[in-house]
Amino acid sequence: MLLPQLVVLSALLTLVSSLPWSNLLERQEASSSALNDIPTINLVYNCTVAGHFALTFDDGPYLWEKTVGDAFTAGNQLTTFFLNGNNYGCIYDSADVVKELYDANHTMASHGWGHLNMGLLDADAINSELERLEVAFTRILGVVPRFFRPPFGSYSTLLLEILAQRGYTHVYLWDTDSQDADGATASVQTQLFDANCATYPLSHLALQHSPVEQTITTVLPYALAELRKTRYTVSTVEDCLGLRKEDAYRVVGTPGTRDATWTCA
């Protein structure tokens, strides 16, 4: 007597299993599993080690990187350069200085090839911006950077995913903007350092730009002197997170020899 009902029920189950949403849960579980496979990357807005102050310099290399390096060396201190490939100048034209700073233990990190707004780019353009600078780092230093700072502080989920897939571990933003790229006077910048120094031992991660002459000739000497007075430890971006120098790079070989390929053309 129940056989016709069982036949109807079986037919209904067959119909349901053919509907588009019938395997929704399976797709959600598969999607969740895939998300777990995506490499993670750390967004950094500030240092985490108390009493550390990381001064960082974007947009080079240009004219004053060696001056910056010498200022830190004089105080037995280190800094971080977020370099472009072809912004104010071509990185290959400054290869000797970049290598000298690297050998002096300053940290060399990526700021993209041409200082584009990478938060607005598609995957092909993002990969091109990253790869061209990675090639330059490989030729000049024999390493690929693991640290990145997005131009304009602009980033997207796509950019973060691609960075992680390419082996980057940290994206550095900042808690203190010197505003030098926006035309802030030396006086405004030194007042900002005064305010920050008054917060010791709170840590800070400061954004500056090495192609801005007054930043290098006026503000930097003042900042280093004031930080010394307040007992801040002036550090690289990895030190101020408690990381090691080797965490900043993926070693891929030895530096190359300059040839006709070392060009931004």
Side-chain angles (χ1 to χ4, degrees):
M1 297 293 295
L2 294 176
L3 185 57
Q5 295 176 349
L6 291 174
V7 171
V8 171
L9 178 59
S10 176
L12 285 172
L13 290 174
T14 300
L15 175 63
V16 168
S17 67
S18 69
L19 293 175
W21 45 263
S22 62
N23 62 346
L24 178 60
L25 181 58
E26 293 178 6
R27 294 203 305 273
Q28 288 176 333
E29 290 174 347
S31 175
S32 176
S33 175
L35 284 174
N36 291 334
D37 293 336
I38 295 176
T40 58
I41 194 162
N42 299 286
L43 272 174
V44 180
Y45 292 88
N46 200 354
C47 300
T48 58
V49 180
H52 276 239
F53 202 117
L55 296 167
T56 66
F57 297 87
D58 288 12
D59 291 5
Y62 188 44
L63 299 177
W64 294 290
E65 272 68 33
K66 181 168 173 33
T67 302
V68 174
D70 290 346
F72 282 87
T73 298
N76 196 28
Q77 298 162 320
L78 297 171
T79 190
T80 303
F81 296 91
F82 287 93
L83 300 177
N84 288 126
N86 191 21
N87 186 9
Y88 283 83
C90 174
I91 191 170
Y92 292 113
D93 294 339
S94 300
D96 292 343
V97 172
V98 171
K99 182 66 163 57
E100 179 181 334
L101 294 171
Y102 172 81
D103 289 342
N105 230 21
H106 298 293
T107 298
M108 306 287 110
S110 174
H111 198 40
W113 179 257
H115 206 272
L116 303 183
N117 187 333
M118 295 177 69
L120 302 179
L121 301 183
D122 62 20
D124 287 344
I126 289 172
N127 278 299
S128 176
E129 282 288 298
L130 296 172
E131 183 173 0
R132 293 186 72 185
L133 190 59
E134 290 166 9
V135 169
F137 267 61
T138 300
R139 289 169 172 166
I140 297 169
L141 304 175
V143 301
V144 170
R146 285 192 170 126
F147 299 161
F148 178 78
R149 173 174 282 159
F152 313 105
S154 172
Y155 62 90
S156 63
T157 300
L158 177 62
L159 173 61
L160 298 181
E161 289 178 354
I162 291 174
L163 285 165
Q165 290 163 1
R166 297 186 72 93
Y168 292 81
T169 58
H170 294 77
V171 172
Y172 286 89
L173 297 169
W174 54 85
D175 86 298
T176 300
D177 183 354
S178 69
Q179 303 174 47
D180 58 349
D182 300 320
T185 65
S187 176
V188 167
Q189 294 182 61
T190 56
Q191 289 174 28
L192 182 61
F193 276 106
D194 288 341
N196 278 342
C197 286
T199 68
Y200 180 86
L202 295 180
S203 59
H204 293 286
L205 175 56
L207 168 67
Q208 296 167 285
H209 297 81
S210 60
V212 180
E213 184 173 7
Q214 70 172 357
T215 292
I216 308 309
T217 59
T218 303
V219 180
L220 177 58
Y222 180 87
L224 290 174
E226 291 304 303
L227 291 169
R228 194 175 300 114
K229 289 178 187 176
T230 54
R231 295 174 296 154
Y232 265 109
T233 298
V234 177
S235 63
T236 61
V237 292
E238 70 273 8
D239 284 339
C240 81
L241 293 184
L243 301 174
R244 305 164 301 168
K245 177 61 68 178
E246 52 264 39
D247 294 323
Y249 309 106
R250 175 165 54 88
V251 178
V252 293
T254 58
T257 301
R258 183 186 293 274
D259 59 26
T261 66
W262 288 37
T263 176
C264 292

